[in-house]
């Protein structure tokens, strides 16, 4: 039951996440000087895309550890 609550909470947080703009100061200075803002948007999207993978990997590892401990606990109880 607790796992369902955590899963629902994480799903809601990800669903209602706000758009993030993230650039280093050097990238921002170069991209703001251009008239076309399409490149700046593409850089922001790429940064956010690359930022997501570490969180996905850590989440996957934590899930595997959780399942391992859950299986060991259920085997000890039987």
């Amino acid at each position: 039951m607790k796992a369902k609550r955590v899963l629902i909470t994480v799903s809601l947080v990800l669903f209602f996440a706000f758009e993030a703009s993230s650039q280093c100061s050097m990238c921002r200075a170069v991209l703001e000087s251009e008239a076309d803002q399409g490149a700046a948007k593409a850089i922001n999207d790429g940064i956010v895309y690359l930022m997501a993978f570490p969180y996905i990997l850590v989440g996957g590892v934590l899930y595997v550890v959780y399942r391992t401990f859950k299986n060991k606990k259920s085997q000890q109880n039987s």
Side-chain angles (χ1 to χ4, degrees):
M1 188 59 124
K2 188 175 181 180
K4 284 184 181 180
R5 183 178 294 168
V6 170
L7 183 62
I8 290 171
T9 304
V10 170
S11 299
L12 288 174
V13 167
L14 291 176
F15 182 73
F16 291 112
F18 296 103
E19 182 177 336
S21 297
S22 54
Q23 290 178 341
C24 67
S25 59
M26 295 296 292
C27 295
R28 183 178 302 238
V30 170
L31 293 172
E32 283 180 352
S33 65
E34 293 180 8
D36 180 26
Q37 292 298 316
K41 182 159 176 41
I43 293 290
N44 278 337
D45 291 343
I47 291 169
V48 172
Y49 177 75
L50 289 173
M51 180 189 72
F53 282 106
Y55 290 104
I56 293 169
L57 290 173
V58 169
V61 168
L62 291 175
Y63 178 73
V64 168
V65 169
Y66 169 75
R67 292 290 303 235
T68 303
F69 281 119
K70 186 177 176 182
N71 287 341
K72 284 184 180 180
K73 187 176 178 181
S74 67
Q75 287 176 356
Q76 288 176 352
N77 290 337
S78 2

